[in-house]
Amino acid sequence: MTDLRLILASASPARTQLLSNAGIAHRVLVSDVDEDAVTARYGITDSHDTALLLARAKAESVAALDEADGALVLGCDSVFEFDGKAYGKPYEAAVARDRLRRMSGGTGVLHTGHWLVDNRETADDGVPGAGASAGSAATIGTVASAEVRFAAMTEAEIDAYIATGEPLQVAGAFTLDSLGGSFITGINGDPHTVVGLSISTLRELLASTGVGITEFWT
């Protein structure tokens, strides 16, 4: 199916790098979703449900764009749960420092919501036109979760990590695939989930629309 297109509705460099490393051809279109406004509107505090809600909001926002016509659109969002509390992006150094101190030597769960919108045209008779693939009209999602274990961090390490700026713009104030990986001692679940996009979950969502992930391999 040479006409297939996959759009990633996320500004995350880590997510697009994951797709590229997996050989999955895609385009990035960033949504204009206000995450705080969306969560405030629905009043959701559960980490699992928040991740799915925001992933859906991003996917549907981009799917509404003219550039997304005829494409499959994937939205993702990650929320870190620690001691029963939801941790998004800290943005501020003081917030990140407090979180890292709490997380030091502990264990939390990273929830990544995935939402896929099939924007391909559907055929009334169930048979696509010449050279085209019929869409399923699906809008579906799921959450992939993984447990993350942290090493005990010294104050000097926390300060040095915050000084890099990396933890300020990522869910939970840590990364697995970059500098933050130094402080992670184990993952129980799909490591890709912790980075922000589970390739195996994407495979399952695509299959629900009648598309094989190998059709996007470059």
Side-chain angles (χ1 to χ4, degrees), residues 1-214:
M1 296 182 184
T2 57
D3 63 316
L4 278 175
R5 292 186 298 128
L6 177 66
I7 292 176
L8 174 64
S10 172
S12 167
R15 292 191 178 107
T16 191
Q17 189 62 53
L18 271 175
L19 290 176
S20 296
N21 288 347
I24 299 172
H26 67 286
R27 177 187 177 189
V28 173
L29 282 179
V30 181
S31 76
D32 59 356
V33 169
D34 183 331
E35 298 182 13
D36 291 336
V38 171
T39 53
R41 175 184 177 186
Y42 289 93
I44 294 177
T45 56
D46 178 83
S47 303
H48 177 284
D49 293 347
T50 298
L52 188 60
L53 172 70
L54 293 175
R56 180 172 187 172
K58 292 178 181 180
E60 293 184 343
S61 173
V62 168
L65 301 176
D66 291 341
E67 301 97 309
D69 284 349
L72 290 135
V73 181
L74 175 68
C76 294
D77 194 85
S78 297
V79 179
F80 183 62
E81 181 180 351
F82 190 81
D83 284 345
K85 296 181 180 179
Y87 289 168
K89 301 172 184 176
Y91 297 113
E92 299 178 3
V95 176
R97 181 174 289 105
D98 179 66
R99 291 184 183 180
L100 290 168
R101 284 172 175 168
R102 292 172 183 270
M103 291 154 49
S104 177
T107 300
V109 179
L110 197 291
H111 302 284
T112 293
H114 302 69
W115 199 275
L116 187 70
V117 177
D118 188 348
N119 251 7
R120 296 173 297 162
E121 291 186 6
T122 56
D124 292 337
D125 58 2
V127 180
S133 56
S136 64
T139 174
I140 51 176
T142 190
V143 177
S145 302
E147 186 180 79
V148 185
R149 298 190 300 277
F150 297 94
M153 293 174 267
T154 67
E155 284 295 312
E157 287 174 328
I158 291 174
D159 288 343
Y161 188 35
I162 291 173
T164 68
E166 180 182 277
L168 305 186
Q169 300 295 326
V170 290
F174 72 94
T175 64
L176 172 64
D177 57 327
S178 191
L179 302 176
S182 300
F183 311 119
I184 295 175
T185 61
I187 302 291
N188 183 16
D190 180 357
H192 289 164
T193 296
V194 181
V195 180
L197 194 166
S198 167
I199 302 297
S200 61
T201 297
L202 172 59
R203 171 180 170 272
E204 293 172 359
L205 290 176
L206 288 172
S208 296
T209 70
V211 176
I213 197 169
T214 60

